[in-house]
Each structure stands twice: as C-alpha cells, then as structure tokens.
Amino acid sequence: MAHILAQSIIRHKPILFLSKTCALVLSHAEAMLGLGHFEKGESFVSTIYQAKSIRTMDPHQPHATHIALKDRKILAVGTAQDVADWQAAWGPLELNTDFADRTLLPGFIEGHAHMMEGLLWDYHYVGYYDREGPDGTIWPGLKSIDDVVAHLKQIQATRNDPSEPLIAWGFDPIYFEGRRMTGADLDAVSGECPVAVLHASLHILNANNFIMDAADVKNADNSEYIRRDDSGKPTGEFLGQLGMYMAMRTTNLDLLAAASSPKTLQTFSQVARQTGVTTCTDLANPVPEGAEVAMRETVEKDSFPMRLVVAFQGNSLPPEESVARMQALQDKQSDKLRFSLVKFVADGSIQGFSARLKWPHYYNGAPNGLWYIEPDRLREYLTAFTQAGFQCHVHTNGDECTEVTLDAIEDALRAHPWPDHRHTLQHCQMASRAHFKRMKTLGVGVNLFSNHLYYWGDEHRAITMGPERAGRLDDAGGCLEEGVPLAIHSDAPVTALAPLFTAWCAVNRVSSTGVALGGESEKISVEQALYAITMGAAYSLKMDTEIGSLEVGKRADITILADDPIEVGAQGLKDISVIGTMVDGLVHLNKGRDA
Amino acid sequence: MNQTASHRLAPNVSLTIIAGFLGSGKTSLLNHLLTQSGGRKITALVNDFGALNIDSELIEAQHGNQVSLTNGCICCSIGDDLMRSLADIMRQDPLPDHLIIEASGVADPTRIAAYAAVDPQLRLDGIVTLVDAAAHQLHAQDPYLADNYHKQIEAGHMLLISKPDLVEDSQVEHLEAKLRASYPKTPQARVRHGHLPIEVVLGLQAETGEQTTPPHAPQILSTQIEDHGLASWSAHLHGGLSREVLAEKISSLTPHVLRAKGVLRDAQGAYALHYAGGRIHFEDLDVQPSGHFVLIGKPELPNAQALSDLFQTASA
Ligand SMILES: [Zn+2]
C-alpha cells in the first residue's frame, strides 16, 4: 500500500492520561497502564469533541467543527457558536480538545472484506506493495523474487522451530518481468521444512520442493492447474485451490481452521482500526452451529474496535435449510454484531479467467469462465431468501454473470414483491450502463471493487479485457449517474483494507504504473468517494439509519484523520494518516500514530 | 507434521467424480451405488444429502453433515467448500477405499480431478458424466451453460445417458451416435433411475500408469442384468489365453463392451485383466487363476454363443 507513515511510536501523549472523562479505550496499553475500562452499563460521560473540521455526510450540515456525544450516540453537530446552547439544553458536556487539530468523518464502512484478513497476519506478508499490519508496522513491498526469498530466509534464520511449515502470503508476480517463482527459489529459503507462498489473489500458491516431494505430484497428469517448465516438470506453482489443498495435506496444517477464532477477529479489527474502519463485513461465512456465540463474545467487548456484519454463506446449505439457519441467527445479533446479509458467489474472478463474460469474452482468447452456482440454482436461492425477507449480496464479476443475476433477482421479485430489498451486486466490475439502468429499476445496489483499477488495471488492459472494456471497469461514475446506490471496497485480504485508498482508486482511476482506465465519465469526485465509503456502504448494509453520517441520533462511530480529505483533494487522498477511530463514542487510537 | 517427504504414502483412495447438470440424475445414481458397495468402504461427498433420500433402514448414524450407513459407507455434504471437505475426509483414519464426489451442476470436473494429482493418497479412478437425454438439446444450446456442458462431457471417462425412457428411442440413439462421433474413445451406457451395476462406474482406472487393485475387489457378476439395459456374459476360459490375443478380442467388441475382468493364465504366468474406460490393464498374479472371465456391455454385444465362439477360439 502506498501510504507510508512515519513509524514513530509515540503512543500516548500525556493529555490522554488526563482525559479519562472522554472515555478513552487504548486497545492494548490500557490494562497495563491502569486506565479505567469503559464497561457496558457504566454511564457514558457526555463529551463535546472539538475538531479542525468535521465532514458529516449529512446534506443538512455537511461541514462542522464540534460534535457532542452522549450515551454512545451523537447528540448534536455544529460549530463553536452552538456549544453554549447545547450546554444549556443538554449539559453538562465536557469539552475535549484532543482532536482539535484533526478532521473527523463518519466511521468508514468496509462493505466487502473477509475475516481471513485477520488470519493471514499469522503468516508472513511478501506482497509487492507496502502493507500496514495490525500493529501499525509497515511491511515494505518486495520488488523482486530475490527480495521475497531474501526476506523469507531472514525469517527462517530467526524462527524458534525452523522445521515448522513457513507460510507467506500476498505474493504477486504479475509485477515482475521475466521469470516466475520456482520450487528452487523456495528451497533456498529451506529444503528442510515446507515453504509455501500464497499469492495475493489467494488462488495461486508456490511450494518448495519439500512440499512437492511430499505431495508426489504426478508427472503423468497434465492438469492445467499445475504449472510446468518447458521440460514438463512441475515448477512448484499451483492454480485454483489446488496449491492450498496440497499445502494443507502435506503439512497437516489446516490453513483456514482459525478463520473465526477470537485471535483472528482481534487481528481483523486491528487492521480495520488502523485504516479508519468502524464497521466491517465478513463476506461470507458459513457460520457453523455455535460460531455465532463465540463471535459475539469477542465482538461485544468494548475494547473490540469495530462493528462486524457477517454475511451468511447462502449456498452452504440447501435453500430451505439455509433460510432456516438465517432465521435462527436473527436473535443472536447485537448492536455490534450482525447476521443481516446472505452472500452468494455466482462466478469467479476476471484475473483468474473464471469470471463469466459476455461475448467477445476474454481479450487473450481464454475460454469463458465458470459459474460457481448454476443460474437456476441461484434463482432458487434468491427467490427463497427474497420470500423470507433477507437481503442478498451476490458476487458477480463478469458482465454475463451480472446479467444472469439481475434476471434471477427480477424473477424473485416478480414472485415475492419487496420494495426495499436492497439486494446488492458485489464486485460487479464489468457492468455496463444498461446494467446500471436495470439495477436502478429493480432497486438493486452495487458495491464496486475499485481497488482493481490500481492493482490489476494494467493486466485488464493488456490481457483480460483489452483497453476499451478495461476503461469501464468498476464504473463508479456511470453507476452514480444512473442513480444506483454505490459503495466501493477492497475485498481484503485480496487487496489491502484501506477505504481512503479505495476512494483514491475510484477518484483517480489509474493503474499501478500510472496508466488511466477510462475517462472523466467513469471517475467520481472526492466527495462522492467519501460518501461511498460511509453512507454508501451503510445503505448497502441497511444500516444507514444507524451509521454512515454524523447526525443527531446516530451511533457515535467516527474516524479521526490527520488532514481533511476535501482539502487534501484527489491526489493525496490515499496518503492521509488515520489517527484512530471511535466506536460507540469509545476512542481507539492507532498504533504508530501521534494523536 | 507427520506426513512429509520422509515417507510417501501409497495412493490408497480411489476417486470417482460424478459430473452432470442439475437434474441429470447424479443423486439417483449415487443412491444406487451406495447400496451396492459390496464390501468397499465408500465415502460420498454430495451437494445435498437431503436430496439423496437414503433408505432410513440403511442409516446407522447422523452427525452434523455426515451420515454413516450400515454397510460401512459414509455420506458427507460438501457445503460451500469442496477443498476443505476433501481435506477433512483425507485426514480421517481409516481412509475410505473409494471416494465418490458429486460435482455441482456447473463444476468443471477436471478441476476436481486435479486434487488427485497433488494428493499422494488419492488416485483418480475416473470422471463419470451424466448426459440427460431429455434435456440434451436444451443444455447444448443454453446461452449461459453450453460451454460448461460440453466441458463436462469432454472430461468424462465414461458417459452415462440418463432418462432414456423419457424420449423416443431413435432420439437416444441419435444422441449416442453424436457423442460417439465426438468422443469415439469414451465408453457410453444408458442409465434409468440410477440403476447401474457399481462395476460399470467404479474401476475405470483413468489415471494411466497405475494399476492398483482396490483393496476390496468387486464381486464378479455372473448373471445377465437386463433391467439396467446392460448385458453381461461370464465364462470359465480354460487353457492358456495370451494377454495380447485377449486384448485384441476385447477391443474388437468396442464400443459395445464397457467392462471386462478376468483371472487367467498364459505362457508368462497367471494374470488379472481389467478393462475399463476403453483401456486394458494386466497385472501379474502369484495365485492359481480361476479362469473366471466376465464382460459387461450394451445390449448390442454379440449373443452368448457368438461370444463363446470368439473367446473359445482365442482360448484354443
Ligand atoms: Zn470477496
């Protein structure tokens, strides 16, 4: 990720120790320092925060400087002139100036991420771009295969048990000219233990020869999912989920086992906090029996710095049972934990050539992609959930898939009319204006994968879509012009969780090499992008009456920024430092930031 | 970390993938296969075991997404994640003899087969693709699914024409001829309501270069099975019958022969013969051969007398 921050570790300015009244929650340090916890049920000290600038996303009052909080909610928003009136009407309210030099925005909402982001930080990041970890450490991007190998060698040399499997993630060779990583590269890290490198897409894995030998990859098999060199020998690169499976089988590690563990959730929330996210989605989760209880125990803690919206993986059960499971989850919800969405994945990914495209399909002539759910089955599920009154989010990458999904939604709505269903298309990267018009008519919203423009833009121009269609990739401008509710996302861990960066992508529409994708009509303004990562996402989650803007009565979820994004403007949006967040009015300061 | 390069594991689980579109009869077929396990411990990974409709007398126990049958077979639902379900099964102790995966209606079965290529304990036995005779026209022309449909047929090591009773016979024959023209080497059989002897489906030995016998070898059929629309012929072949000559005789019966098995002897010694999926395998044996030989094929196979003549000639 491109925003590089000073790594000074000035965690707590003295002022924080004095301001117990502003209900500070310092996520890690507070216990050691003996600061009081803010437990549920304790009365919340009513506070007015003074800021340099407050961007409310509320059209009645878009700009303010003061915000009053009471009972975990927003009591009033205004300027210095209003403070006396507030005191008279609601007092006593303490004035807090901790963030007087800062800009406050509604807490950012990530409408499409995966809890796996929290799991991956147990392993070693080896991506091309700088990425900020849960503790605020910036892991520098590794710019060549040799850099990756050198980094892993260094880790291997300092590990307690060098015979344990060494797992790395985030690798993305599309930025490396020339050769691809091989088993021999990773043997240089170690030939004595399993070494596996998971690619950023999560759908390719490189293994060292230790794993290859254990797997006994059969030479006779001509699987297209095993990359081979010119002599036909497997190179150690595996496509699809094959590599992950092989690594799991040969190491006996269940790489995904901890996917819903408290530790994973904690890490996930810390990554979210570092980037200003106060409500995050897990899209999706099969929520096996009992998982909801464990999740709630973790999420309910005041020290847990975000709201979590879990989308139930709709096709993990047959339609009837699936609806029943969703119904059973409804009374397991709380203010901070929601099971309000159902998710379906209808096709694959564009860069993996598994998205379903309309003619003329892939630019490089690759065969059309895969359905992950057959269209008839999708219709069956959407109809069942529409009838039961549950909002559905459907992953559709290719334009053919988008069209088929809109057909299915239309059929479901003919059968069970529902004016405010807010079914939402996720990714929806290749939607045309005609598709957006249809979404508008059907009441369907969209959450675009804007980060793709930057990370895979060049590849989409040259290989998957060609320059013309790549120009309308993730067309946020077209979407808004057609009147479709818009959110934008990172799909973390596929790309870095960082709403300001996602906003930057949608505003600037340039690839990592600086090549423009599309023109002005596909871009959106800074204001529109900020709206998309707050109110836009809130709307897509049906939470726009609770969060997404700073207005009276809403939950006190706030993102604290070093600079005002409206003043910083399009270019610098991604580089604005996130100081911390407030969730329910409780302050969570970031690691590695100076408040 | 107890399964690493230090000791390689024998590929002792055979994998059969049942592919085919929604409604093509995968579930009925699976249901019937599970009732004829014949001593094999079969684990079936299915999309929805509610739909399987297993005879309640056969169910021994049910835990979560797993049903154990009284004959030692197990049924698991895939949920949304085949990779993890498969990994879970392959971690079980003891492992099943045979794993049958019911592919989802739109799955590319070669993607599933690829797991066998990297799992040292898994050996691809074959991909069986069901072709719905009644819906073939529809599927082959579906604007969204035609490419998937052809991919599945192309991937099949055996094609099963399902629901032949729902359309005119001439239509079925036309379909069979069309498929034979496109895939001349892929054996075909008709299947009605899932009724098919398990030997036709399991034991295709698609993975070349490997000739392991399943630990629980299937019982050789000795009776005519007409209700499945298949014919079988069995005999005791006496005297030496060379492998080459036998192979030639069997291939002279294509495309009507689907399976052949025998335990025989020639000048080189005793051997077992397996013919499946259009390929023939021989395996040396240390035992006294019984001379038992069985053919399973379509009704178009020559009649019993003609077969007798053919193989007795060879045997002379
Ligand atoms: Zn996703």
Side-chain angles (χ1 to χ4, degrees), chain A residues 112-114 283-284 343 345 395 426-427 449 489-494:
Chain A
H112 186 153
H114 298 270
L283 223 69
K343 163 92 180 288
V345 178
H395 157 135
Q426 290 284 349
H427 300 330
F449 197 169
H489 69 265
S490 69
D491 200 17
V494 176

Side-chain angles (χ1 to χ4, degrees), chain A residues 218 225 245 249 252 254, chain B residues 2 84 111 116 119 121 147:
Chain A
K218 293 150 193 151
Y225 308 105
Y245 177 78
R249 288 283 294 137
N252 254 5
D254 187 350
Chain B
N2 44 18
R84 290 199 72 188
R111 286 210 172 197
D119 192 321
Q121 287 175 284
D147 57 335

Side-chain angles (χ1 to χ4, degrees), chain A residues 27-28 113-122 134 256-274 277-285 287 290-301 303-311 336-339 497:
Chain A
S27 355
H28 284 305
H114 298 270
M115 212 185 280
M116 194 185 181
E117 169 78 23
L119 179 68
L120 288 176
W121 288 102
D122 285 352
L256 306 172
S260 298
S261 75
K263 180 163 180 270
T264 297
L265 267 171
Q266 283 294 352
T267 308
F268 189 33
S269 71
Q270 286 157 12
V271 175
R273 181 203 60 219
Q274 291 294 121
V277 172
T278 55
T279 295
C280 197
T281 44
D282 178 28
L283 223 69
N285 193 313
V287 200
E292 68 272 23
V293 181
M295 277 187 228
R296 190 159 161 179
E297 263 170 35
T298 305
V299 172
E300 283 307 282
K301 293 196 175 87
S303 59
F304 188 83
M306 72 178 192
R307 264 174 244 292
L308 178 65
V309 179
V310 176
K336 278 178 85 185
L337 178 65
R338 304 295 166 94
F339 299 103
L497 177 65

Side-chain angles (χ1 to χ4, degrees), chain A residues 294-413:
Chain A
M295 277 187 228
R296 190 159 161 179
E297 263 170 35
T298 305
V299 172
E300 283 307 282
K301 293 196 175 87
D302 274 337
S303 59
F304 188 83
M306 72 178 192
R307 264 174 244 292
L308 178 65
V309 179
V310 176
F312 174 60
Q313 175 101 38
N315 60 325
S316 55
L317 293 170
E320 236 171 80
E321 289 169 50
S322 191
V323 168
R325 176 65 180 140
M326 191 61 188
Q327 278 159 343
L329 285 171
Q330 293 314 294
D331 62 3
K332 306 299 191 302
Q333 302 184 99
S334 70
D335 286 350
K336 278 178 85 185
L337 178 65
R338 304 295 166 94
F339 299 103
S340 46
L341 310 175
V342 186
K343 163 92 180 288
F344 297 97
V345 178
D347 70 347
S349 72
I350 300 174
Q351 74 275 21
F353 301 101
S354 50
R356 287 296 305 195
L357 293 173
K358 290 180 72 168
W359 189 89
H361 312 302
Y362 287 99
Y363 192 52
N364 71 346
N368 205 353
L370 297 173
W371 295 104
Y372 284 18
I373 303 179
E374 46 269 78
D376 283 347
R377 188 76 167 159
L378 181 65
R379 175 179 291 107
E380 201 183 328
Y381 274 115
L382 289 174
T383 304
F385 278 104
T386 298
Q387 181 178 20
F390 289 112
Q391 188 192 4
C392 299
H393 283 218
V394 186
H395 157 135
T396 76
N397 258 316
D399 48 2
E400 185 182 68
C401 185
T402 293
E403 212 161 282
V404 163
T405 303
L406 288 173
D407 289 347
I409 291 174
E410 183 166 342
D411 287 347
L413 292 172

Side-chain angles (χ1 to χ4, degrees), chain B residues 154-196:
Chain B
E154 195 182 330
H157 298 108
M158 166 162 268
L159 301 177
L160 298 180
I161 317 299
S162 64
K163 306 183 184 172
D165 46 328
L166 296 187
V167 292
E168 294 289 319
D169 223 37
S170 61
Q171 234 176 303
V172 184
E173 280 159 22
H174 181 70
L175 169 60
E176 287 169 332
K178 243 169 79 179
L179 291 173
R180 193 169 309 120
S182 306
Y183 309 101
K185 291 200 177 125
T186 313
Q188 303 176 11
R190 295 184 190 185
V191 54
R192 230 176 298 144
H193 310 297
H195 292 266
L196 206 62

